[in-house]
Amino acid sequence: MQIELLPFTPDDIERLSSWIRTEDDMVQWSGPYFKFPLQHQDLLDYQHTNQMTPAIRQIFKAVQQDTGIVVGHIELNDLDFNFRSASISRVLVNPEYRGMGICLAMINAILIIAFDQLHLHRLSLRVYDFNRPAIRCYERAGFRREGFFRHFSRVGDQWWDSWSMAILEDEWRALQTHSVQGLP
């Protein structure tokens, strides 16, 4: 599936809100950044941080190219141009489109932005250990597990563990070379 990452705007707030139906959904998407239920003003404030100078984040919606349907949300966060690093945050696929390869398409698109456009060197992320489809997606894109955080978040009466994963620019470029050459 071909997707394009476009800037997240106030017009996207209601759609994004409709994808987050439970507190578990909220924490899995945003960690401690937002509280459930998601409030319109909180998302409006979040969207405004996209325009700060210096930029600390870039927030995107993922649009399916052939239909124009918004199928996901993704963010480059903690942008640090001195150390040429950032993290991927708040990855969410529209529940109606899960299992169709959209997450991998979004990750690949954001890697192009991070490494080719922003000239970053390192990109990291955190993912809850039970989210096996996301972990497989990130590993397919070239991310490596770097650390495990026990009891990283508390949701209700449960503690959730988290993996830290990252990819370096040279690792990503090597993967691009292999895919162009048709190598495994």
Side-chain angles (χ1 to χ4, degrees), residues 87-107:
S87 61
I88 295 176
S89 301
R90 289 171 264 293
V91 178
L92 185 62
V93 174
N94 177 335
E96 295 177 21
Y97 290 86
R98 291 186 183 152
M100 299 179 175
I102 291 169
C103 184
L104 185 57
M106 289 179 4
I107 295 299

Side-chain angles (χ1 to χ4, degrees), residues 4 8 16-17 20 47-48 80 96 102 106 111 164 175:
E4 180 180 13
F8 180 79
L16 179 61
S17 294
I20 301 170
Q47 189 275 329
H48 285 303
D80 186 328
E96 295 177 21
I102 291 169
M106 289 179 4
L111 287 169
S164 173
L175 288 172

Side-chain angles (χ1 to χ4, degrees), residues 46-82:
Y46 165 67
Q47 189 275 329
H48 285 303
T49 65
N50 202 26
Q51 291 125 7
M52 293 174 60
T53 303
I56 60 166
R57 69 174 43 105
Q58 291 186 8
I59 309 168
F60 302 97
K61 60 184 168 194
V63 179
Q64 189 176 7
Q65 286 184 337
D66 57 345
T67 65
I69 295 172
V70 177
V71 294
H73 177 93
I74 192 167
E75 170 186 334
L76 272 178
N77 193 12
D78 303 319
L79 285 164
D80 186 328
F81 293 104
N82 280 339

Side-chain angles (χ1 to χ4, degrees), residues 2 16 31-32 35 44 73 75 81 134 141 153 160 173:
Q2 296 290 332
L16 179 61
K35 301 294 178 220
L44 195 58
H73 177 93
E75 170 186 334
F81 293 104
S153 295
W160 290 1
R173 294 208 184 281

